[in-house]
Amino acid sequence: MPESHPLYIGMDLGTFKTSVASSAGYRDVIPTAVGWPKDHIARTMLGRDVVFGQDLTEHRLALDIIRPFEKGMLKYGDPATCGLSEKQMEKYALATRLIIEYAVHLVHPEPQDTARPIYGVIGVPARASVKNKQFILEAAGHVFDAVAVVSEPFSIAYGMNRLTDALVVDIGAGTIDICPIYGVYPADEEQITIGLGGDAVDEEFEKRLKAKYPRVQISRNMVREIKEKFGFVNAVGEQALVNLPVDGKPTPHDVTEPLKAACQVLVGPIVEAIRKLIARFDPEFQEKLRQNIILGGGGSQLKGLDRVIEQALTEYGGAKVTRVTDATYAGAVGALKLAKAMPPQGWTALNTRKGKSRSNTGEAKQAA
């Protein structure tokens, strides 16, 4: 490993958003997506070949946008079962690499300094396969000198210094990951990944909303924004009133019922997975796990989710559920903390970065 002072980076490579933090004191969050101009007019208007960040939303009509981990693809699912052709797989791999490079660029104090080694810890779903992890390592190899791939919920627990007697439930857009914490790094078989998350809620909400209000015009971005602002699972005290266009005219709609029903699709699978995972452990340890359940990820912010899970576990001896204070950065901050403390044998050295630029637009142009 290089002896000069490295830059340490922690990254939560999420399905919908990627958060990143560096030892230089910078942190940022971006959509986990890449956009390519649809034609030469769009390229002229945008003035670039690849688009990241908030510009993806502002200029989405002029872009071909790829979310490489949509519904957990490539981070958890097998490429073959995801229905990707070889050509699509190549483009998704390039998109992943460009997202990682751009995220690192945002938190590097001197992005043009290619001599300084960069070590990174990247979070992946709890039950990601060897193939999934290798896909991430290959994408990271163009910007990192060494990488450690860890379970996303474990990085949350590490950042909170909850290293024993805890159960972390990380609710992302594509997967829900559940990880027991008991003083050592948990084995893969001790963790659970559910192929369900915020994307599934969005789909269910849109389906129910259109069934109730057939004339409503709504995009997936609008659906997501409503969910993030009003999303809830508890029984009382919530109401979601929004203006939605009907034949181009903004019209008030009560979306409380379809929104609640959509958000509740997460509750049953989470409770069942928690119950099954806890049952695997020694009876004396089960009580400690139930009394220290931590919700992380964007889905943890659904109103009432902590209380609903507690109520569902009453018959199993009760539970205490808390939410992370900063759902956006909890994973990245924990990964950074882990990177700073990582022993030399914990890193996977990568050789692909040597002699390469951190901004390779040539491949991006060819992929467009």
Side-chain angles (χ1 to χ4, degrees), residues 284-295:
E284 294 180 3
F285 188 54
Q286 292 177 11
E287 174 68 14
K288 295 178 180 180
L289 286 177
R290 284 199 309 271
Q291 297 304 318
N292 195 12
I293 298 174
I294 302 166
L295 301 184

Side-chain angles (χ1 to χ4, degrees), residues 141-322:
H142 293 264
V143 68
F144 288 104
D145 292 273
V147 166
V149 176
V150 302
S151 162
E152 290 168 343
F154 180 80
S155 67
I156 292 174
Y158 195 89
M160 299 174 67
N161 204 31
R162 300 282 190 92
L163 301 182
T164 188
D165 301 339
L167 187 72
V168 180
V169 182
D170 182 20
I171 309 168
T175 61
I176 299 171
D177 299 292
I178 304 176
C179 174
I181 307 296
Y182 54 96
V184 298
Y185 190 85
D188 287 349
E189 60 270 17
E190 294 174 329
Q191 306 177 68
I192 293 177
T193 291
I194 305 170
L196 186 72
D199 286 345
V201 173
D202 296 341
E203 290 182 4
E204 183 69 14
F205 178 35
E206 184 174 5
K207 181 181 74 175
R208 289 176 175 271
L209 183 63
K210 289 182 176 179
K212 185 172 183 178
Y213 302 115
R215 297 177 60 198
V216 158
Q217 299 168 293
I218 192 167
S219 68
R220 185 56 59 86
N221 280 332
M222 294 166 67
V223 165
R224 187 178 297 112
E225 289 173 359
I226 294 171
K227 178 196 69 177
E228 292 178 351
K229 183 176 181 180
F230 297 102
F232 72 103
V233 295
N234 50 307
V236 296
E238 299 293 340
Q239 189 175 31
L241 299 175
V242 296
N243 279 326
L244 297 172
V246 175
D247 297 329
K249 179 182 179 181
T251 308
H253 289 81
D254 185 343
V255 300
T256 306
E257 180 185 333
L259 178 59
K260 177 184 176 182
C263 292
Q264 286 181 330
V265 302
L266 301 181
V267 177
I270 290 175
V271 171
E272 181 63 14
I274 289 174
R275 187 191 64 79
K276 287 183 176 180
L277 192 150
I278 291 177
R280 299 174 185 173
F281 284 83
D282 185 285
E284 294 180 3
F285 188 54
Q286 292 177 11
E287 174 68 14
K288 295 178 180 180
L289 286 177
R290 284 199 309 271
Q291 297 304 318
N292 195 12
I293 298 174
I294 302 166
L295 301 184
S300 69
Q301 302 307 296
L302 291 175
K303 300 181 185 72
L305 182 59
D306 48 351
R307 303 287 80 86
V308 168
I309 293 175
E310 288 181 349
Q311 293 166 8
L313 292 173
T314 299
E315 63 179 297
Y316 296 99
K320 176 63 177 176
V321 182
T322 59

Side-chain angles (χ1 to χ4, degrees), residues 36 82 89 105 107-108 131 144 172:
W36 281 273
C82 292
M89 183 64 186
H105 174 86
V107 296
H108 197 304
K131 184 182 293 186
F144 288 104

Side-chain angles (χ1 to χ4, degrees), residues 82-100:
C82 292
L84 297 178
S85 66
E86 184 176 346
K87 185 175 182 180
Q88 288 174 315
M89 183 64 186
E90 290 176 358
K91 193 163 186 178
Y92 274 58
L94 175 59
T96 302
R97 198 196 92 193
L98 292 174
I99 290 165
I100 292 174

